[in-house]
């Protein structure tokens, strides 16, 4: 048994404890304890609460102390939507978008996702791994301790397997947890677009070849579809997600991002774990989500980066009682950021979520969407000691300071994985 660690001196300790996934008014309940402490042993939380109570625990006396020195202590962020593995930035398209063409126009010309597909297919696993490892270090530097990662820039058997195997290898080669999602249904790849029956043939490839292989090798826990004009329609999305379910992969979906396709209500009907984007949802979609256990994952980084003015109706979703989560959607096309604090800033100013709501939506609710809410997402006895410490004395300052990194220390399974240097840089 390793030496226990006792975290003391937090000005505010946010436990997010007690109630699992949060809806409605409960979203604002962050379980704030003043002068709180956390006792860690063997990577797990063994006591958490007011300092006086925690220091009375039998393991506290011999523990090494980590003084938070008046900072704010909270669960590590759970980023439940990323496209971790990609070969290069798309800064060229960024400039083209600023000077006129839209995201969809660029995609129609063979850019966009297909641009990233060409680059990923040409890249070696080692090159992709180096880029992902550097991104993972940055995720940790911004207080994130678990991410979901989607394939979807391979779109053929070898390149999708290359991506999904990297998710598993990276899991063992660096400290953050990675939950793997198969997104073979991102778009129809170019070689299938040339044939009239190409879409049908590509979907058969996904269902008859890729899914069985991925299930046999246990390379993914979830199956995702980009349900959007120019990608997969509602019937195709249903077919793919149902096939995924037959292979034991729970559905997730990209829906109602640029147009209303009906993907959200499909997700609810299929019992999807999460339904993501949601800029174009209507009242009926909100009602369906509110009555369901499907998490509404909002990705305001995309709207910000694409310069779109219509953000998802977060207030309506929260007020109706949906389980709302926030994620970066880290990807080279629509949201090139690993910063959950920046996403919290956007959630507050653009989605009109309060800082407390945004923090619940970045911790316990995304943990629930990944099926990991028993292990992560809150600071409770028996859970992983996945903790972030922010160099602020009021949690509201985490989103308040935007575009700067106030994360001071990140702890994964009880080990420090990021510590801000004295120079204040990453
Ligand atoms: O979540 N919408 C589909 N997938 C990504 C964008 C992918 C890309 O443009 O490379 C998203 O926004
Ligand atoms: Fe995405």
């Amino acid at each position: 048994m390793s030496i226990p660690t006792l975290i003391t001196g937090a000005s505010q300790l946010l436990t997010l404890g007690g109630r699992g996934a949060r809806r409605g008014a409960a979203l604002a309940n962050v379980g704030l304890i003043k002068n709180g402490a956390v006792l860690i042993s063997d990577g797990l939380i063994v006591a958490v609460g007011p300092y006086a109570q925690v220091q009375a625990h039998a393991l506290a006396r011999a523990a090494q102390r980590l003084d938070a020195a008046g900072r704010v202590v909270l669960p590590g962020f759970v980023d439940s939507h990323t496209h971790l593995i990609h070969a290069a930035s798309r800064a060229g398209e960024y400039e083209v978008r600023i000077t006129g063409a839209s995201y969809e126009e660029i995609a129609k010309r063979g850019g966009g996702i297909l641009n990233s597909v060409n680059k990923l297919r040409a890249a070696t696993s080692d090159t992709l791994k180096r880029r992902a490892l550097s991104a993972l270090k940055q995720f940790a530097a911004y207080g994130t301790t678990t991410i979901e990662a989607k394939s979807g820039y391979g779109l053929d058997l070898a390149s999708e397997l290359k991506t999904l195997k990297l998710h598993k290898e990276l899991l063992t080669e660096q400290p953050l947890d990675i939950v793997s999602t198969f997104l073979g249904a991102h778009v129809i790849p170019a070689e299938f677009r040339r044939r009239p029956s190409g879409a049908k043939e590509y979907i058969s490839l996904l269902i008859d070849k890729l899914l069985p292989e991925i299930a046999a090798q246990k390379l993914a826990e979830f199956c995702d579809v980009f349900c959007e004009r120019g990608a997969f329609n509602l019937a195709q999305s249903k077919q793919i997600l149902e096939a995924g379910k037959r292979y034991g992969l729970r559905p997730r979906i990209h829906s109602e991002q640029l147009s209303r396709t009906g993907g959200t209500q499909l997700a609810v009907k299929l019992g999807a774990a999460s339904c993501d984007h949601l800029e174009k949802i209507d009242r009926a979609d909100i009602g369906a989500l509110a009555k369901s256990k499907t998490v509404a994952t909002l990705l305001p980084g995309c709207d910000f980066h694409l310069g779109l003015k219509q953000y998802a109706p977060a207030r309506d979703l929260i007020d109706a009682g949906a389980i709302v989560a926030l994620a970066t959607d880290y990807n080279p096309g629509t949201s090139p950021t690993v910063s959950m604090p920046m996403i919290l800033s956007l959630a507050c100013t653009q989605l009109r979520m309060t800082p407390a709501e945004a923090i619940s939506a970045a911790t316990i609710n995304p943990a629930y969407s990944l099926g990991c809410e028993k292990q992560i997402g809150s600071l409770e006895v028996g859970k992983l000691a996945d903790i972030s410490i922010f160099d602020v004395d009021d949690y509201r300052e985490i989103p308040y300071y935007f575009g700067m990194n106030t994360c001071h220390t990140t702890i994964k399974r009880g080990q420090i994985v990021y510590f801000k240097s004295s120079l204040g840089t990453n």
Side-chain angles (χ1 to χ4, degrees), residues 58-390:
L59 291 175
R61 190 186 303 242
Q64 57 183 344
R65 287 178 171 241
L66 198 163
D67 183 6
R71 300 187 178 92
V72 171
V73 175
L74 68 157
F77 294 127
V78 178
D79 190 346
S80 57
H81 185 142
T82 86
H83 302 251
L84 174 69
I85 307 291
H86 53 266
S89 99
R90 302 218 300 265
E93 291 181 3
Y94 179 61
E95 186 177 27
V96 171
R97 277 201 310 277
I98 292 163
T99 52
S102 73
Y103 177 74
E104 283 181 287
E105 281 159 4
I106 293 168
K108 272 196 200 123
R109 291 182 209 151
I113 293 169
L114 291 181
N115 173 350
S116 291
V117 169
N118 292 336
K119 295 205 172 89
L120 183 134
R121 286 179 178 178
T124 65
S125 268
D126 276 355
T127 311
L128 294 169
K129 189 187 278 185
R130 266 198 303 280
R131 187 177 174 89
L133 278 169
S134 116
L136 284 158
K137 271 199 177 148
Q138 288 296 312
F139 276 106
Y142 284 90
T144 295
T145 46
T146 296
I147 67 163
E148 181 259 19
K150 302 177 196 295
S151 66
Y153 293 123
L155 309 188
D156 62 26
L157 181 67
S159 312
E160 283 296 299
L161 292 182
K162 175 165 83 175
T163 305
L164 294 168
K165 281 181 183 158
L166 277 174
H167 293 166
K168 298 292 163 189
E169 282 175 33
L170 286 163
L171 194 54
T172 64
E173 292 174 21
Q174 57 75 54
L176 301 200
D177 277 312
I178 301 170
V179 178
S180 180
T181 295
F182 171 51
L183 177 60
H186 206 177
V187 288
I188 311 279
E191 63 274 21
F192 282 83
R193 293 185 184 202
R194 295 181 200 116
R195 298 195 287 273
S197 56
K200 210 164 160 240
E201 288 169 27
Y202 183 62
I203 292 168
S204 298
L205 175 77
L206 291 179
I207 294 177
D208 301 331
K209 290 257 168 24
L210 275 79
L211 272 172
E213 192 61 38
I214 289 160
Q217 295 194 42
K218 295 192 176 15
L219 292 176
E221 286 96 275
F222 293 95
C223 179
D224 198 337
V225 173
F226 185 22
C227 183
E228 185 58 72
R229 60 185 180 209
F232 294 85
N233 66 29
L234 192 62
Q236 293 167 334
S237 301
K238 180 166 183 277
Q239 195 191 350
I240 296 158
L241 292 176
E242 281 177 343
K245 273 176 93 164
R246 289 198 295 278
Y247 284 100
L249 304 187
R250 269 190 87 190
R252 314 182 79 80
I253 195 166
H254 288 66
S255 67
E256 337 297 351
Q257 179 187 16
L258 305 166
S259 62
R260 193 171 171 284
T261 57
T264 300
Q265 294 199 37
L266 169 68
V268 169
K269 281 196 200 99
L270 293 177
S274 183
C275 190
D276 302 32
H277 285 293
L278 310 181
E279 282 83 346
K280 298 288 193 298
I281 51 174
D282 66 13
R283 288 234 61 90
D285 300 332
I286 293 171
L289 281 168
K291 280 195 238 82
S292 78
K293 292 183 175 168
T294 299
V295 175
T297 301
L298 310 182
L299 310 168
C302 293
D303 306 299
F304 176 75
H305 181 73
L306 294 177
L308 302 175
K309 304 283 179 272
Q310 190 185 353
Y311 285 78
R315 280 263 55 92
D316 293 342
L317 283 161
I318 295 166
D319 296 344
I323 306 172
V324 171
L326 293 163
T328 59
D329 195 7
Y330 170 63
N331 79 76
T334 64
S335 191
T337 185
V338 296
S339 169
M340 283 300 281
M342 179 66 194
I343 298 303
L344 298 196
S345 299
L346 293 172
C348 292
T349 59
Q350 307 304 308
L351 303 179
R352 315 311 295 177
M353 292 170 70
T354 66
E357 288 174 333
I359 287 171
S360 297
T363 52
I364 190 66
N365 283 5
Y368 176 77
S369 98
L370 296 178
C372 300
E373 76 281 7
K374 299 267 189 310
Q375 291 86 43
I376 57 171
S378 65
L379 304 181
E380 293 179 272
V381 171
K383 282 192 159 185
L384 298 189
D386 287 5
I387 299 169
S388 59
I389 303 179
F390 276 77

Side-chain angles (χ1 to χ4, degrees), residues 5-16 31-41 44-57 59-60 63-75 378-381 385 387-389 411:
T5 303
L6 179 62
I7 302 178
T8 61
S11 62
Q12 297 176 335
L13 171 70
L14 311 186
T15 66
L16 279 294
L32 192 154
I33 297 173
K34 282 198 179 136
N35 193 21
V38 188
L39 182 61
I40 301 165
S41 179
L44 300 178
I45 296 169
V46 292
V48 54
Y51 174 72
Q53 195 182 307
V54 174
Q55 63 101 39
H57 190 283
L59 291 175
Q64 57 183 344
R65 287 178 171 241
L66 198 163
D67 183 6
R71 300 187 178 92
V72 171
V73 175
L74 68 157
S378 65
L379 304 181
E380 293 179 272
V381 171
I387 299 169
S388 59
I389 303 179
I411 296 168

